[in-house]
Amino acid sequence: MNSNKDQREEIEDEEEDESLYEHHKFVAEVGQRPLRVDKYLMNFIENATRNKIQKAAKSGNIYVNGDTVKQNYKVKGGDTVQVMFEHPPYEYLLVPEDIPLDIVYEDETLLVVNKPAGMVVHPGHGNYSGTLINALVHHFDNLPNNSSDRPGLVHRIDKDTSGLLVVAKTEEAMAHLSKQFFDKTSEREYVAIVWGNIDEEEGRIEGNIGRNPKNRLQNIVYEGDDAENGKPAVTHFKVIERLGYVTLVSCKLETGRTHQIRVHMKYIGHTLFNDERYGGDRILKGTTFTKYKQFVDNCFKILPRQALHAKTLGFEHPTTGKWMSFNSDIPEDMVNCIEKWRGYAKNQLDDL
């Protein structure tokens, strides 16, 4: 009797496990010092809170090496950590939403969209609605999936970065455009406000980019013997205007790594203005005067995000072979911030 009961419970357990969906999976690096699993996951999962992670652990949704663990389990090198739930990841449950799109260009094979700052490109942890993809699947039927099963997306930009994106409407356009981005034959220019007065008028930044082991939500440049921990990345910059303690620059991407401009500019000592993730939301250059601090705080309020805009985009049309080039205006929040700094810089010169 007991044997049959045990077998039945075992079968029920197996069926329950089979109905679980993997939402996150991480393999701890060799040399990982013992760290509570809730703290470990905080370093990896964007927009997660420790309270939510602990709640998931108490509900039996966190697994290490195939077994459920409590929130105080110490993760060690080589451990496989999974977060499992009974429902599929929300990012795969794409709900069409009637969100207006700023379409710069459209034909039968593609469209170019000007994304506003604050809009997430694709659903992910903590952002399951209101994204560009939610809008795209409402406005367009049968968009082709990219290699990550995301409809229409050829490339992406960060939530708080504004600017141009090309979207594929056919399988052929997806393949052709994706190859251009992979082969580095597309052209992308960004405009950024960065802290400090850059010495050179223009320059080339080269440095392999990879995850920051101390903060998995950041990327860093790996150098020397550690370079293999990152992927090759090249950014070309040119000074547009010097504004005292900040500089307006143009950045052209030769590669397209995550946070590339944000990481490379910080690497050369010129973090993007008000880039919270990389420390640009503090006063990094300037004076200690109270009036200056008030001025900078006002600039942060005018531009409550990293000062980065994807201004121009160029590529070969996948059907006609014609070179297509698009340009977008710098958004109002960045323009207003630039004007504030321009006025400040002028007053500083007038006082000399």
Side-chain angles (χ1 to χ4, degrees):
M1 291 286 291
N2 288 341
S3 177
N4 289 337
K5 180 182 178 183
D6 291 341
Q7 288 177 2
R8 188 169 63 253
E9 288 179 349
E10 185 176 333
I11 291 170
E12 289 173 353
D13 287 344
E14 287 177 356
E15 290 175 348
E16 183 178 343
D17 287 343
E18 287 175 355
S19 71
L20 294 177
Y21 295 87
E22 180 181 274
H23 285 233
H24 301 282
K25 180 180 179 179
F26 308 103
V27 179
E29 296 178 358
V30 176
Q32 166 72 48
R33 62 181 179 83
L35 183 66
R36 284 175 56 115
V37 70
D38 52 355
K39 291 184 177 180
Y40 177 83
L41 288 172
M42 278 288 291
N43 291 333
F44 281 82
I45 303 176
E46 189 170 359
N47 298 321
T49 65
R50 194 168 177 188
N51 183 53
K52 287 182 179 179
I53 291 173
Q54 290 178 343
K55 186 177 179 181
K58 289 177 182 177
S59 301
N61 297 116
I62 296 179
Y63 289 69
V64 175
N65 303 327
D67 297 321
T68 58
V69 297
K70 302 296 184 183
Q71 66 264 27
N72 61 355
Y73 174 87
K74 298 289 183 68
V75 177
K76 303 175 291 298
D79 279 350
T80 298
V81 183
Q82 294 169 286
V83 181
M84 312 279 285
F85 290 102
E86 293 180 5
H87 58 82
Y90 289 115
E91 60 195 274
Y92 296 112
L93 304 176
L94 296 177
V95 179
E97 296 181 51
D98 188 6
I99 302 169
L101 290 172
D102 181 4
I103 298 175
V104 176
Y105 171 84
E106 182 183 359
D107 61 26
E108 293 180 353
T109 60
L110 60 86
L111 63 142
V112 176
V113 177
N114 189 21
K115 185 190 82 69
M119 174 182 269
V120 176
V121 171
H122 59 77
H125 185 82
N127 296 289
Y128 302 119
S129 64
T131 75
L132 178 63
I133 284 188
N134 291 114
L136 288 173
V137 296
H138 171 85
H139 293 287
F140 304 97
D141 295 324
N142 303 316
L143 290 173
N145 285 341
N146 64 13
S147 59
S148 301
D149 293 327
R150 286 163 179 159
L153 283 194
V154 177
H155 62 125
R156 63 187 180 89
I157 56 179
D158 296 329
K159 172 186 175 182
D160 290 325
T161 299
S162 53
L164 298 175
L165 287 161
V166 61
V167 176
K169 295 171 70 175
T170 67
E171 295 285 355
E172 295 77 12
M174 176 66 75
H176 197 289
L177 290 166
S178 296
K179 189 174 188 303
Q180 290 185 57
F181 277 77
F182 180 80
D183 292 341
K184 309 180 185 69
T185 56
S186 61
E187 290 185 359
R188 286 167 289 170
E189 180 196 11
Y190 292 70
V191 172
I193 306 170
V194 301
W195 278 107
N197 187 15
I198 301 176
D199 292 335
E200 306 88 355
E201 287 298 319
E202 56 186 279
R204 180 178 188 271
I205 310 169
E206 183 171 5
N208 288 14
I209 290 177
R211 291 282 188 184
N212 183 346
K214 297 180 180 178
N215 183 344
R216 303 295 295 189
L217 300 183
Q218 290 184 354
N219 284 342
I220 59 172
V221 171
Y222 283 94
E223 301 177 282
D225 295 338
D226 294 327
E228 62 183 17
N229 293 328
K231 295 181 180 179
V234 177
T235 304
H236 301 268
F237 71 86
K238 186 174 183 179
V239 172
I240 298 173
E241 186 175 357
R242 300 181 185 278
L243 300 167
Y245 297 121
V246 300
T247 306
L248 184 65
V249 296
S250 161
C251 294
K252 290 187 176 181
L253 295 181
E254 192 172 308
T255 54
R257 307 303 177 198
T258 301
H259 300 172
Q260 179 171 319
I261 292 173
R262 300 163 71 182
V263 173
H264 269 174
M265 295 310 296
K266 180 173 183 174
Y267 175 62
I268 65 168
H270 296 283
T271 304
L272 263 63
F273 184 78
N274 209 10
D275 188 347
E276 180 181 3
R277 181 163 297 185
Y278 290 93
D281 59 340
R282 303 189 301 272
I283 295 177
L284 300 182
K285 300 289 180 180
T287 73
T288 57
F289 299 140
T290 302
K291 284 188 176 180
Y292 176 72
K293 183 181 182 301
Q294 292 173 342
F295 166 78
V296 174
D297 285 342
N298 287 334
C299 288
F300 285 156
K301 291 175 183 176
I302 290 171
L303 182 64
R305 63 178 179 100
Q306 70 255 13
L308 187 62
H309 174 66
K311 192 175 192 309
T312 66
L313 177 64
F315 52 85
E316 182 184 282
H317 194 282
T319 303
T320 67
K322 178 184 176 182
W323 183 257
M324 310 286 286
S325 186
F326 301 92
N327 182 71
S328 61
D329 293 334
I330 298 174
E332 186 177 4
D333 57 356
M334 275 188 71
V335 169
N336 290 340
C337 186
I338 291 166
E339 288 293 338
K340 289 276 287 185
W341 276 105
R342 189 176 286 144
Y344 184 88
K346 183 179 183 300
N347 289 336
Q348 288 293 97
L349 289 174
D350 291 342
D351 290 341
L352 294 178

